[in-house]
Amino acid sequence: MLETALRQRLTKVTIVDRTTATGLLTDAAGRVVGIRARTADEQKTLYADLVVDATGRSSRLPTWLAELGHTLPEATVVDAHMGHATQDFDIPPEHTPDFKAIALQHRPPVTHRCAYMFLQEDRTWRCTLAGYGGDYPPNTPEGFLEYARTLRDPALHALLTKAKPVGRISAFRQAANRHHHWEKMSTWPAGLIALGDSACAFNPVYGHGMSVAALCAQALEGWLAGGASSTAEFQRAVARAASGAWTVATCEDRRYPETTGARPNAVGRLFIKYYVHALTAATKDVKVCAELMNVLSLLKKPRVLLRPDMVMRIVTRSLLRSGATRS
């Protein structure tokens, strides 16, 4: 439904199907002026005033920039080794539940498995199982059902036993957080920009990818309206748009000991501990919960949790919760 709605908005855009971009075209000054492309029958060149890489985490931009002689900054990678599997289901009317969604969250570092199931616009139900630390859900019907049986609550598994699978199981295991730091390049080429997952990709289980892409699109609109200064300046705007989601995703993923990649500095480690206290406090304090939801929804930056009033609430509520647990 989302893709259909977006395509209906693209009334002035020509979509060229069955065409693969294979490289960048530059002029004598090093400005990007188009792309090389390949179809089933021919090689072609496509010229443009501005080339936008929105090809996601599979972007070949690092290779293309290196081929042009650019020195690339080292990407920051934080990988919790999360994988997920998704299956659609039909649920008979006599077993239709009285809810439209169910979420069984993981609990780092104790619980590695989580699951989400929700009603779609065509009345089918979509179920996604996910596991951290290499605890991947199987992509077979029997394995899928058995994995669901081991979740923290039996409600989702009970629903699946009464449902009929629709289509194939779709599995995904390339879920590392990856920040390319294009904003740090000293010689970023004119005529080229990268946004969305092409610049900064996140663990998809948090649902931030499309939201950050939308924030990048807003940044692009403002950049073009303001005269489109330098493409290097735009890449700095992309990094700012992604910063909140990066903090949330990597804080969550670093709570698992199996997570590999860049390690946080002392300040980062302190914030992760504080973030865990914020999660605890949010279960008892409605104001902390509201601000945490704003952060998780990318409506506000994580620094809102560091306001003095929030610090007082978070520390107090978390300590009270810890004391109650110990008693």
Side-chain angles (χ1 to χ4, degrees), residues 268-303:
R269 291 194 296 271
L270 182 62
F271 184 81
I272 291 172
K273 291 181 179 179
Y274 178 73
Y275 178 74
V276 174
H277 286 301
L279 293 172
T280 301
T283 65
K284 294 293 183 180
D285 189 309
V286 66
K287 291 187 177 180
V288 174
C289 184
E291 289 292 43
L292 183 63
M293 289 299 104
N294 284 331
V295 171
L296 296 177
S297 302
L298 307 186
L299 297 174
K300 293 184 179 181
K301 297 290 186 181
R303 61 175 175 267

Side-chain angles (χ1 to χ4, degrees), residues 12-291:
K12 297 182 180 179
V13 175
T14 300
I15 298 175
V16 183
D17 290 324
R18 298 178 178 85
T19 302
T20 302
T22 59
L24 300 172
L25 296 174
T26 58
D27 61 15
R31 177 187 178 88
V32 174
V33 295
I35 64 169
R36 296 190 299 274
R38 181 184 68 247
T39 67
D41 303 320
E42 62 176 336
Q43 302 281 340
K44 61 169 66 174
T45 54
L46 300 173
Y47 291 92
D49 297 320
L50 179 67
V51 173
V52 181
D53 181 1
T55 55
R57 63 171 67 235
S58 61
S59 169
R60 297 191 61 205
L61 192 56
T63 299
W64 295 344
L65 290 172
E67 289 173 350
L68 294 176
H70 292 280
T71 300
L72 308 184
E74 183 178 358
T76 300
V77 179
V78 177
D79 190 356
H81 304 283
M82 191 281 294
H84 62 74
T86 299
Q87 172 76 71
D88 288 347
F89 292 89
D90 270 331
I91 298 179
E94 64 271 20
H95 297 301
T96 300
D98 59 357
F99 54 81
K100 294 184 179 180
I102 183 171
L104 301 177
Q105 300 284 59
H106 58 295
R107 186 184 179 187
V110 179
T111 305
H112 288 68
R113 298 182 175 187
C114 57
Y116 310 89
M117 189 169 183
F118 53 88
L119 181 64
Q120 301 186 106
E121 62 271 10
D122 63 356
R123 310 308 297 176
T124 61
W125 290 73
R126 173 156 293 181
C127 179
T128 294
L129 308 179
Y132 287 75
D135 185 13
Y136 303 130
N139 60 357
T140 62
E142 299 80 9
F144 192 94
L145 193 61
E146 173 59 23
Y147 196 94
R149 188 188 63 79
T150 66
L151 297 171
R152 296 173 63 188
D153 189 282
L156 188 143
H157 176 260
L159 192 58
L160 293 185
T161 60
K162 302 168 185 174
K164 178 183 177 182
V166 177
R168 299 185 305 167
I169 297 174
S170 176
F172 183 78
R173 296 181 180 178
Q174 303 299 319
N177 304 282
R178 185 180 302 274
H179 196 331
H180 282 292
H181 297 297
W182 301 136
E183 75 282 1
K184 294 183 178 180
M185 282 184 59
S186 58
T187 57
W188 181 263
L192 172 71
I193 60 175
L195 47 72
D197 281 5
S198 297
C200 191
F202 314 94
N203 183 338
V205 79
Y206 305 123
H208 285 159
M210 286 193 291
S211 296
V212 171
L215 292 173
C216 291
Q218 286 184 330
L220 176 59
E221 183 180 37
W223 180 71
L224 293 172
S229 53
S230 72
T231 49
E233 175 58 35
F234 177 76
Q235 291 308 136
R236 289 189 282 272
V238 167
R240 290 192 294 271
S243 62
W246 179 263
T247 298
V248 171
T250 55
C251 274
E252 276 289 321
D253 283 0
R254 281 170 172 149
R255 295 171 67 192
Y256 283 107
E258 298 90 348
T259 298
T260 58
R263 308 307 302 172
N265 56 24
V267 175
R269 291 194 296 271
L270 182 62
F271 184 81
I272 291 172
K273 291 181 179 179
Y274 178 73
Y275 178 74
V276 174
H277 286 301
L279 293 172
T280 301
T283 65
K284 294 293 183 180
D285 189 309
V286 66
K287 291 187 177 180
V288 174
C289 184
E291 289 292 43

